Amino acid sequence: MKNTLSTHQKISLLTACLFTGVAPVMGYLSIGLAPVIIVGGSALTGLICWYFTYLRKPVEPEIILPLFILTVAGLQIHIVEEYLMGFAPAMSRLFGIPWSERSFLMVFALIGPVIYTLTSLGLYYKIPLAGFVAWFIFIGPGVAEFTHFIFPLISPELLPYDPHTLTADISGTPIPDMPNFYFRTTGHYYFPGLWTAILPMIPGCTAIYRLMIKRQRKIIN
């Protein structure tokens, strides 16, 4: 079995490594520690899984592409709930970070769909880097969405026992109407995105299972 990477694969690996290192740093500088944990953790885990699966041998589009499309479709429905219920300002209050609704919409509602569309095209043509983006999405929305079920149990950084919305400057950025979803304060077990978090999780986790099982079968054979 050939173990060496082609030039194209090496370029894809370098690009993926740069993203894994740079994206969490940029998130930390612009928002705070939360993106480092969520984005950085998903990127690193996705990088490792992608390296041992799709990078060396891209799977056929019919195996990965439908599950990727279903994952991002579920993710977009999930994002609608997050936006309507105030996910970004709720996260700002929860972790004391300056996450505005404008930046939330820019990343997840505008830039995100462009990346998903190009990734779908890349998976169709079995481009290695597209596999990394797919793994990142499978790990993030596919697995990390379970954090929505934990957020209501975490005491917010800002006025945890005040049930009213809060407007404040965080690191020089004005964040208006930050809601409080702390369960001990509200008595309601909810956080923006909780109702639809399962939608991207089902196809995302299914994709992870299928890709890892396929690799395991190749090792056995």
Side-chain angles (χ1 to χ4, degrees), residues 50-77:
W50 168 72
Y51 178 83
F52 289 105
T53 57
Y54 198 94
L55 173 62
R56 294 180 176 275
K57 184 63 177 179
V59 299
E60 295 301 317
E62 59 264 25
I63 295 175
I64 190 173
L65 185 53
L67 288 170
F68 176 77
I69 292 175
L70 287 173
T71 302
V72 297
L75 176 60
Q76 289 305 108
I77 296 173

Side-chain angles (χ1 to χ4, degrees), residues 8 45 48 52-54 63 66 70 96 101 103 109 114 140 168 172 175 182 186 190 209:
H8 189 194
T45 305
I48 295 171
F52 289 105
T53 57
Y54 198 94
I63 295 175
L70 287 173
E101 285 193 335
S103 63
V114 175
I175 307 295
Y182 187 30
T186 65
Y190 177 74
Y209 173 78

Side-chain angles (χ1 to χ4, degrees), residues 9-92:
Q9 289 171 324
K10 290 178 180 178
I11 294 174
S12 296
L13 179 60
L14 176 61
T15 303
C17 288
L18 286 174
F19 173 84
T20 302
V22 172
V25 173
M26 292 180 62
Y28 176 76
L29 294 176
S30 60
I31 299 178
L33 185 60
V36 176
I37 298 174
I38 299 173
V39 177
S42 298
L44 180 59
T45 305
L47 177 67
I48 295 171
C49 294
W50 168 72
Y51 178 83
F52 289 105
T53 57
Y54 198 94
L55 173 62
R56 294 180 176 275
K57 184 63 177 179
V59 299
E60 295 301 317
E62 59 264 25
I63 295 175
I64 190 173
L65 185 53
L67 288 170
F68 176 77
I69 292 175
L70 287 173
T71 302
V72 297
L75 176 60
Q76 289 305 108
I77 296 173
H78 173 63
I79 288 172
V80 170
E81 182 197 346
E82 288 185 328
Y83 171 69
L84 291 176
M85 303 305 292
F87 179 77
M91 289 287 283
S92 295

Side-chain angles (χ1 to χ4, degrees), residues 36-167:
V36 176
I37 298 174
I38 299 173
V39 177
S42 298
L44 180 59
T45 305
L47 177 67
I48 295 171
C49 294
W50 168 72
Y51 178 83
F52 289 105
T53 57
Y54 198 94
L55 173 62
R56 294 180 176 275
K57 184 63 177 179
V59 299
E60 295 301 317
E62 59 264 25
I63 295 175
I64 190 173
L65 185 53
L67 288 170
F68 176 77
I69 292 175
L70 287 173
T71 302
V72 297
L75 176 60
Q76 289 305 108
I77 296 173
H78 173 63
I79 288 172
V80 170
E81 182 197 346
E82 288 185 328
Y83 171 69
L84 291 176
M85 303 305 292
F87 179 77
M91 289 287 283
S92 295
R93 183 165 185 171
L94 184 63
F95 295 109
I97 58 177
W99 196 359
S100 66
E101 285 193 335
R102 183 176 183 273
S103 63
F104 173 83
L105 288 174
M106 181 62 67
V107 173
F108 292 103
L110 299 177
I111 297 177
V114 175
I115 296 174
Y116 308 150
T117 303
L118 294 176
T119 300
S120 298
L121 186 64
L123 293 174
Y124 179 79
Y125 288 106
K126 299 197 289 189
I127 297 174
L129 189 60
F132 167 71
V133 179
W135 263 107
F136 174 70
I137 297 299
F138 293 149
I139 296 294
V143 178
E145 293 295 347
F146 80 90
T147 54
H148 285 72
F149 299 94
I150 300 175
F151 289 152
L153 305 176
I154 301 175
S155 177
E157 290 285 337
L158 306 177
L159 300 180
Y161 298 106
D162 185 349
H164 301 96
T165 59
L166 173 67
T167 297

